[in-house]
C-alpha cells in the first residue's frame, strides 16, 4: 500500500503519460501525410506528384520514437490495470477499449480507405476520378487483401494484453522470475549504457528489413519480427511500472541529455543509410549497424520524451485534456482523411511542403470538428474514453450578458 502523498504523486504523473500518449496519437496525422510526399519508395500505393526529402526526414524522425513510446506506455498502463483490478479487470478493460472499437470501426474504416485509395490511384494513373481496381499497383511493399491498416497497433496491443494474462499467471507461481526480469530491466533502463544493450536484439530483427527499420505490414498475422520488435518495448513498459519511482526521477532529470544523444544517433543513422545507398549492393552487416544505431535513437528519445512530459506536463490542463480526450477518435478517423485530402491536392501546382501543411491542417480540423459534434457528447465517447462529457448550458446571467 502507498500513502496518500504517493498516490497523489502517481496521479499527477499519469497526467503526463496521458498527454504523451495523446501527442503520439496526434503525430499519426503528420506521418501519414508525410508518407504521401516521400522521395524514397512509399510503403503505400498512393503518392502525390510532388515529393520532398523533408517528408522522408520527417517520416524517419517520427517513426524513430512514436511507436516505441506507444508500446512502452501500453505496457505501463497494462501493468497499472493489473495492479488496480487484477488480470480479470485488465482483460475486461482491454477488451472493452481495444477489441470492441476495433470490431466496430475496422469494417467502416476499411471500406472508406479502399474507396479513397482507388480514387487516389485513379487520379494518379488517369488524372480523373474513378474506381478501376486494375490500376492499383502491386509489389512486395504494397499490402494485398484485407489488412489492419493503421489499426495494426490496436490489433497487436490487444494480443499483447491477452498474452499478458497467462504470462502473469505463470509468473505468480514462480515469483523469482518476474523479480529477476524487473531487476534486469530496471538496471538497463537506469544505466547510461543500457539503451545500447536494449538495442542489440532489435538490431538483429531490423537487419532483415530495408535500411534496418522494422515497418508494420498491417497483416492480421504479423510476422515474428514485429512481435519481437514491438514486444520488447511493451515488456519494458510493463516492468517500467515496477521501477517507476526511480526511473521517472532519472528521466525527468536527464531528459535533455537523452534527447541530445538520440539526435547524435539519429544523424549517424542517416550517414549509414547514405553509405548503404551509395554502395549499390546488399550489405547485411551494414543493415545491422543501421538498425542498431536507429534503435539507440528510439530508446534514447523514448526516455527523453517520458522525462520531458513528466517535467513540464504533470498537471492537468483544459486544452491538453481536450486533446487527450479526442486523441483516440483522431487515431481512428485520421487515416482515410489524409488519403481524401491527398487525392484532392493531387496535381495542384503547389510545393510539396505546402500540400503537407494543407493536408495536416485540414485533417486536424475535420478530426476535431467531428469529435466535438459526433463523439464528445455521445455514447461513442463512452466506448473510447469511458465517459460522456456533458454539454455546458448557459445560465440565466450568462445568457443575459451575451
Amino acid at each position: 500500500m502507498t500513502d496518500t502523498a504517493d498516490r497523489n504523486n502517481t496521479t499527477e504523473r499519469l497526467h503526463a503519460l496521458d498527454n504523451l500518449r495523446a501527442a503520439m496519437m496526434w503525430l499519426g496525422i503528420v506521418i501519414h501525410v508525410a508518407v504521401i510526399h516521400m522521395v524514397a519508395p512509399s510503403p503505400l500505393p498512393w503518392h502525390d506528384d510532388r515529393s520532398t526529402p523533408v517528408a522522408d526526414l520527417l517520416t524517419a524522425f517520427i517513426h524513430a520514437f512514436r511507436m516505441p513510446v506507444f508500446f512502452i506506455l501500453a505496457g505501463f498502463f497494462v501493468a497499472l490495470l493489473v495492479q488496480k483490478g487484477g488480470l480479470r479487470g485488465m482483460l475486461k478493460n482491454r477488451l472493452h477499449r481495444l477489441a470492441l472499437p476495433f470490431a466496430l470501426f475496422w469494417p467502416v474504416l476499411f471500406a472508406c480507405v479502399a474507396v479513397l485509395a482507388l480514387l487516389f490511384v485513379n487520379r494518379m494513373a488517369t488524372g480523373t476520378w474513378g474506381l478501376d481496381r486494375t490500376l492499383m499497383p502491386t509489389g512486395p511493399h504494397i499490402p494485398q487483401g484485407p489488412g489492419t491498416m493503421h489499426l495494426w497497433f490496436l490489433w497487436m496491443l490487444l494480443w499483447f494484453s491477452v498474452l499478458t494474462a497467462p504470462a502473469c499467471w505463470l509468473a505468480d507461481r514462480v515469483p523469482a522470475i518476474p523479480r529477476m526480469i524487473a531487476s534486469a530491466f530496471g538496471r538497463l533502463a537506469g544505466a547510461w549504457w543500457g539503451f545500447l544493450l536494449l538495442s542489440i536484439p532489435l538490431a538483429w530483427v531490423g537487419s532483415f528489413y530495408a535500411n534496418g527499420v522494422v515497418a508494420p505490414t498491417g497483416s492480421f498475422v504479423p510476422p515474428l519480427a514485429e512481435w519481437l520488435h514491438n514486444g520488447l518495448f511493451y515488456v519494458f513498459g510493463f516492468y517500467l511500472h515496477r521501477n517507476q519511482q526511480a526511473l521517472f526521477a532519472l528521466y525527468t532529470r536527464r531528459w535533455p541529455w537523452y534527447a541530445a544523444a538520440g539526435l547524435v544517433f539519429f544523424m549517424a543513422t542517416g550517414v549509414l543509410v547514405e553509405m548503404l545507398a551509395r554502395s549499390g549492393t546488399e550489405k547485411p552487416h551494414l543493415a545491422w549497424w543501421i538498425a542498431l544505431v536507429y534503435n539507440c535513437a528510439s530508446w534514447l528519445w523514448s526516455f527523453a520524451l517520458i522525462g520531458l512530459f513528466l517535467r513540464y506536463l504533470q498537471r492537468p490542463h483544459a486544452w491538453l485534456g481536450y486533446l487527450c480526450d479526442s486523441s483516440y477518435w483522431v487515431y481512428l478517423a485520421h487515416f482515410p482523411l489524409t488519403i481524401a485530402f491527398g487525392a484532392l491536392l493531387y496535381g495542384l501546382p503547389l510545393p510539396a511542403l505546402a500540400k503537407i501543411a494543407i493536408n495536416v491542417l485540414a485533417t486536424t480540423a475535420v478530426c476535431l470538428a467531428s469529435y466535438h459534434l459526433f463523439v464528445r457528447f455521445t455514447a461513442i465517447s463512452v466506448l473510447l474514453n469511458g465517459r460522456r462529457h456533458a454539454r455546458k448550458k448557459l445560465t440565466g446571467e450568462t445568457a443575459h450578458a451575451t
Side-chain angles (χ1 to χ4, degrees):
M1 292 292 292
T2 58
D3 58 24
T4 303
D6 287 338
R7 286 197 299 271
N8 290 340
N9 190 38
T10 300
T11 301
E12 287 183 357
R13 284 175 170 176
L14 291 182
H15 283 298
L17 299 186
D18 283 336
N19 291 333
L20 176 56
R21 179 170 55 182
M24 297 302 102
M25 285 187 173
W26 275 94
L27 280 177
I29 296 176
V30 181
I31 196 169
H32 287 132
V33 171
V35 169
I36 298 174
H37 299 273
M38 288 174 55
V39 175
S42 172
L44 301 174
W46 53 88
H47 194 279
D48 194 72
D49 56 333
R50 301 292 177 94
S51 302
T52 172
V54 175
D56 297 69
L57 179 62
L58 196 59
T59 301
F61 172 71
I62 295 175
H63 185 74
F65 60 81
R66 180 172 175 262
M67 297 317 301
V69 168
F70 255 144
F71 279 106
I72 289 173
L73 294 180
F76 180 92
F77 283 113
V78 164
L80 179 63
L81 289 171
V82 172
Q83 181 191 51
K84 284 185 173 182
L87 292 175
R88 186 184 297 272
M90 181 274 291
L91 285 173
K92 182 179 179 181
N93 178 281
R94 297 294 83 183
L95 289 173
H96 181 265
R97 296 293 176 82
L98 300 177
L100 188 55
F102 186 92
L104 292 176
F105 286 101
W106 178 84
V108 177
L109 290 171
F110 181 80
C112 290
V113 168
V115 172
L116 291 169
L118 281 175
L119 290 172
F120 201 147
V121 169
N122 274 257
R123 287 216 69 191
M124 291 168 55
T126 66
T128 60
W129 300 102
L131 295 173
D132 187 352
R133 294 181 59 187
T134 62
L135 297 177
M136 183 66 70
T138 59
H141 303 294
I142 304 299
Q144 301 297 321
T148 56
M149 304 174 296
H150 63 299
L151 302 186
W152 70 269
F153 166 74
L154 210 63
W155 178 253
M156 182 162 276
L157 177 55
L158 171 63
W159 285 107
F160 279 146
S161 302
V162 171
L163 293 173
T164 297
C168 287
W169 184 85
L170 290 173
D172 288 342
R173 278 136 187 85
V174 190
I177 294 179
R179 285 199 297 267
M180 290 174 57
I181 297 175
S183 177
F185 272 114
R187 182 167 176 77
L188 289 174
W192 69 266
W193 41 264
F195 71 93
L196 182 59
L197 289 186
L198 286 168
S199 299
I200 290 177
L202 299 180
W204 175 76
V205 173
S207 65
F208 296 98
Y209 285 75
N211 293 331
V213 178
V214 176
T217 60
S219 171
F220 277 96
V221 184
L224 180 61
E226 291 184 39
W227 290 101
L228 296 175
H229 179 90
N230 299 313
L232 181 58
F233 290 107
Y234 174 85
V235 173
F236 177 90
F238 187 89
Y239 284 101
L240 175 63
H241 182 264
R242 293 196 180 195
N243 300 298
Q244 63 180 286
Q245 185 174 1
L247 292 178
F248 280 179
L250 179 68
Y251 296 159
T252 302
R253 188 170 63 251
R254 294 185 179 176
W255 77 263
W257 301 103
Y258 288 129
L263 180 60
V264 171
F265 278 95
F266 182 73
M267 294 172 65
T269 303
V271 173
L272 291 172
V273 169
E274 185 65 21
M275 290 174 57
L276 181 61
R278 290 183 177 181
S279 68
T281 58
E282 292 187 7
K283 293 187 176 182
H285 68 283
L286 194 54
W288 187 91
W289 280 105
I290 292 172
L292 177 68
V293 175
Y294 190 70
N295 282 291
C296 283
S298 296
W299 284 111
L300 288 165
W301 277 343
S302 296
F303 301 159
L305 284 166
I306 292 172
L308 174 65
F309 275 69
L310 288 171
R311 174 67 178 83
Y312 294 106
L313 295 172
Q314 281 193 8
R315 301 184 184 279
H317 298 273
W319 67 274
L320 282 175
Y322 189 95
L323 292 180
C324 285
D325 290 338
S326 65
S327 61
Y328 200 165
W329 171 254
V330 172
Y331 164 73
L332 293 171
H334 79 276
F335 189 52
L337 291 172
T338 62
I339 304 171
F341 287 117
L344 290 171
L345 291 167
Y346 184 85
L348 294 182
L350 295 172
L353 289 178
K355 289 187 176 184
I356 291 174
I358 293 171
N359 196 334
V360 169
L361 292 174
T363 300
T364 300
V366 174
C367 283
L368 282 176
S370 60
Y371 167 74
H372 195 83
L373 294 173
F374 307 118
V375 178
R376 186 171 177 84
F377 311 108
T378 70
I380 301 176
S381 181
V382 179
L383 172 66
L384 300 182
N385 300 319
R387 68 189 182 108
R388 181 193 312 212
H389 294 266
R391 294 183 184 273
K392 293 183 179 180
K393 296 181 179 180
L394 292 176
T395 63
E397 292 183 3
T398 305
H400 180 74
T402 56

